Amino acid sequence: MVDGVLLVDAAEGPLPQTKFVLGKALRLGLRPIVLINKVDRSDARPHQVHDEVFDLFSALEANDQQLDFPTLFASARQGWAATSLEAEHKDMEPLFDLILRHVPAPHIEADKPFRMLVTTLESDPFLGRILTGRIHSGAIKPNTVLKSLSRDGSEIEQTRVTKVLAFRGLERVALDIAEAGDIVAGFKTATVADTICDQSVEWALPGQPVDPPTLAMTFSVNDSPLAGKEGDKVTTRMIRARLMREGEGNVAIRVSDTENADSYEVAGRGELQLGVLIETMRREGFELAVGRPRVLFQNDSITGQRLEPIEEVVIDVDDAYTGVVVEQISVRKGELQDMRPSGAGKTRLVFYAPSRGLIGYHGEFLTDTRGTGVMNRIFHEYGPYRGTITGRRNGALIANDEGTAVAYALWNLEERGPMFIDPGTTVYKGMLIGEHSRGNDLDVNVLKGKQLTNIRAAGKDEAVRLTPPRRMSLEQAIAYIEDDELVEVTPKSIRLRKRFLNPEDRKRAKKQAAAAAAE
């Protein structure tokens, strides 16, 4: 979605992200052109998608002018757009002509004080925070003192503009004066949806607020016995600087300190966004330990009721797998909102499900649908708390000493549950080496080899044959751990461990938690 055109796939139709951007566009009073692309796909259903888009406009309470949207059909790969599927498929000229006719020219008041609405935020190591937006009135020169206003008109801060840039094609170029373009300023607090303006301006421009984070994780220094052996960025200072730099350029990330000086709370839009951040840091050479994701609850200001983030989940799945998907999301307190055929033997399911129930579900979803399902998620609202959701039912097998895992020991432990490691893997006390088949944790010895004597055995020794270990990706590991466990992330390895490595410390922490819960 841009100011003038809403792009929709001719096969997939409107998805949650389509609803998200279109809702914001309609609230700003925009009248978009609908462009139905990829009509050359074998499973395209352009006319049905057109009806679904109209239904979406209506559901988002579009006014009469917005509902009367013009529609074009296109194939970007083949390089054409047309007013109908039967029209000549020549070039993109119909789209350009329609934009000129339908989209109003920008209204800029050059004789009024400078005002600009911030639309994007990024961080530059030389210039600092870069605020990009559209200038609505006036002009700006370098070294001018400006102020920033929040959406309610209250003043946030004042600062001097260090440099003014504008886009020329795909490049940014420095300007002596800008009337419409981008601005680079040293504002420390102002962010997206705030107004940068002249000191004489008292009213902020209308803007859409940034949606709040819904999920948080604890990032801490890696304090395991193997710390510092695989990464070169392991200190608190390095981790904090990297997280703060991410928070400066990513409006959806919020970084805050915790009671522990070696750990930080990072809040974001979902486990995928936080997983991407962890993977990026890992590839940059960082070592860190991350805790289990937890949702950020709110309380209703009127009733005091506990509220939790609810997501809209849209799933396209083969008809044969609809039953298992509905069952699995129902177990996670999700509610089915819509179910309809989407063509080519597939069904589209729409759920409203709590974010905490969807943590770790994507991997199970791909397994249940044999890799053929497609799931899209987006924040819907904060709704009433939906009760307890069953988590992991099995305990863990925990190494009780430091050393190298032995095949004979792992072979003897296989009856206790599936393993996470291979023979020859370096382990340490408190590290999770497998999953217990029962609900309790069990400390085990994976270093014990077979006792050898000089007496020949009566029977022939069998070669040790091990079941292949269960490999976990970063996302699976984050979803698997419990509150008393951590994921140790390094450039080369992903390990599961207990928060407290010493068994006595774990027992003490468990007693303290039980006593606190009883109070």
Side-chain angles (χ1 to χ4, degrees):
M1 177 73 217
V2 291
D3 278 0
V5 181
L6 174 69
L7 187 66
V8 185
D9 190 294
E12 295 177 348
L15 293 173
Q17 54 265 36
T18 315
K19 180 179 179 181
F20 175 78
V21 296
L22 179 60
K24 290 187 177 293
L26 296 178
R27 286 194 291 273
L28 290 173
L30 299 179
R31 296 175 54 205
I33 299 166
V34 174
L35 181 65
I36 299 177
N37 189 34
K38 300 184 182 179
V39 297
D40 56 314
R41 286 181 55 167
S42 59
D43 57 346
R45 46 190 188 94
H47 293 299
Q48 290 176 269
V49 168
H50 183 262
D51 294 338
E52 292 175 5
V53 171
F54 183 87
D55 293 340
L56 180 60
F57 271 74
S58 179
L60 294 174
E61 300 180 351
N63 59 38
D64 293 340
Q65 289 183 325
Q66 291 170 331
L67 281 172
D68 189 22
F69 55 83
T71 304
L72 291 178
F73 301 92
S75 171
R77 188 173 68 172
Q78 297 177 358
W80 61 266
T83 54
S84 68
L85 294 175
E86 295 75 23
E88 182 183 7
H89 300 167
K90 185 179 179 182
D91 51 28
M92 286 290 179
E93 188 173 340
L95 173 61
F96 302 144
D97 291 340
L98 182 57
I99 291 175
L100 290 175
R101 295 196 309 269
H102 185 77
V103 180
H107 179 63
I108 299 175
E109 302 169 311
D111 56 339
K112 292 191 175 181
F114 173 78
R115 291 191 305 166
M116 185 193 81
L117 183 67
V118 180
T119 53
T120 59
L121 170 67
E122 58 185 292
S123 179
D124 186 273
F126 302 103
L127 300 174
R129 298 176 84 231
I130 301 177
L131 304 178
T132 304
R134 175 178 297 171
I135 297 175
H136 285 254
S137 63
I140 180 63
K141 297 180 180 179
N143 297 319
T144 304
V145 177
L146 298 178
K147 67 179 181 181
S148 57
L149 301 177
S150 63
R151 294 176 59 246
D152 60 5
S154 59
E155 183 174 327
I156 301 174
E157 59 180 328
Q158 292 189 13
T159 192
R160 185 180 299 275
V161 177
T162 56
K163 199 171 186 180
V164 176
L165 301 177
F167 280 108
R168 295 295 181 264
L170 298 178
E171 296 181 357
R172 277 196 179 117
V173 296
L175 300 179
D176 294 329
I177 183 171
E179 296 178 344
D182 303 330
I183 180 173
V184 179
F187 286 90
K188 297 181 179 180
T189 308
T191 185
V192 172
D194 292 336
T195 300
I196 308 298
C197 58
D198 188 85
Q199 296 189 64
S200 61
V201 176
E202 297 182 357
W203 299 101
L205 292 165
Q208 295 295 317
V210 177
D211 293 329
T214 59
L215 207 67
M217 293 174 61
T218 301
F219 286 50
S220 56
V221 173
N222 181 20
D223 59 356
S224 82
L226 301 180
K229 294 186 177 181
E230 298 178 355
D232 55 3
K233 298 174 183 176
V234 298
T235 64
T236 307
R237 178 184 59 82
M238 290 180 173
I239 293 175
R240 186 180 190 280
R242 177 64 178 85
L243 292 176
M244 292 301 176
R245 187 166 71 251
E246 183 72 23
E248 283 183 355
N250 191 335
V251 295
I253 292 287
R254 187 178 65 202
V255 182
S256 56
D257 296 322
T258 64
E259 297 178 356
N260 187 349
D262 291 336
S263 62
Y264 307 94
E265 184 181 82
V266 181
R269 296 270 180 82
E271 57 181 316
L272 176 60
Q273 184 186 34
L274 296 177
V276 169
L277 172 59
I278 296 170
E279 182 65 31
T280 302
M281 294 178 65
R282 177 190 179 196
R283 296 182 182 186
E284 292 173 357
F286 282 89
E287 283 193 16
L288 64 155
V290 296
R292 177 176 171 80
R294 59 182 183 83
V295 299
L296 300 176
F297 295 100
Q298 293 184 357
N299 290 321
D300 192 307
S301 57
I302 300 176
T303 63
Q305 185 181 19
R306 193 183 195 190
L307 305 177
E308 67 173 330
I310 305 296
E311 296 187 23
E312 180 180 347
V313 186
V314 177
I315 292 176
D316 288 302
V317 65
D318 290 344
D319 296 340
Y321 303 126
T322 55
V324 66
V325 171
V326 171
E327 179 184 359
Q328 289 296 328
I329 295 190
S330 298
V331 170
R332 290 164 171 79
K333 306 294 184 181
E335 296 177 354
L336 181 64
Q337 303 295 316
D338 189 19
M339 180 176 179
R340 66 177 68 178
S342 57
K346 290 184 176 290
T347 300
R348 172 160 294 184
L349 307 170
V350 180
F351 297 89
Y352 288 160
S355 298
R356 60 191 173 94
L358 296 173
I359 295 175
Y361 173 61
H362 192 261
E364 294 183 30
F365 168 75
L366 292 177
T367 301
D368 291 340
T369 62
R370 307 298 188 271
T372 61
V374 178
M375 179 167 62
N376 292 273
R377 297 163 47 182
I378 197 167
F379 174 75
H380 176 62
E381 64 176 357
Y382 268 89
Y385 181 72
R386 296 195 176 181
T388 304
I389 298 175
T390 304
R392 193 178 92 201
R393 298 179 179 179
N394 296 82
L397 299 176
I398 309 166
N400 64 2
D401 203 353
E402 183 175 347
T404 302
V406 177
Y408 182 76
L410 294 176
W411 179 65
N412 284 321
L413 289 172
E414 280 193 339
E415 62 182 13
R416 299 285 188 178
M419 296 293 121
F420 297 157
I421 63 171
D422 283 314
T425 302
T426 303
V427 301
Y428 54 83
K429 182 187 293 187
M431 177 176 163
L432 272 61
I433 59 94
E435 181 180 275
H436 194 193
S437 56
R438 302 189 179 184
N440 63 304
D441 293 339
L442 186 66
D443 290 283
V444 297
N445 183 1
V446 293
L447 313 179
K448 184 179 179 180
K450 184 177 181 180
Q451 292 290 338
L452 301 177
T453 68
N454 59 356
I455 300 175
R456 184 178 301 223
K460 183 179 179 182
D461 287 341
E462 293 288 337
V464 174
R465 296 176 181 176
L466 296 176
T467 304
R470 179 178 170 187
R471 304 291 186 186
M472 286 195 188
S473 65
L474 176 62
E475 291 77 14
Q476 291 171 332
I478 291 172
Y480 180 82
I481 59 174
E482 294 290 349
D483 293 335
D484 64 336
E485 297 166 352
L486 298 173
V487 179
E488 179 186 347
V489 181
T490 74
K492 297 180 180 179
S493 306
I494 296 174
R495 305 183 184 97
L496 305 183
R497 50 162 287 189
K498 286 292 183 180
R499 187 180 298 272
F500 298 101
L501 300 180
N502 192 305
E504 299 301 325
D505 293 339
R506 292 201 293 272
K507 293 178 182 177
R508 191 178 302 112
K510 189 175 182 180
K511 289 181 180 179
Q512 292 175 352
E519 293 177 358

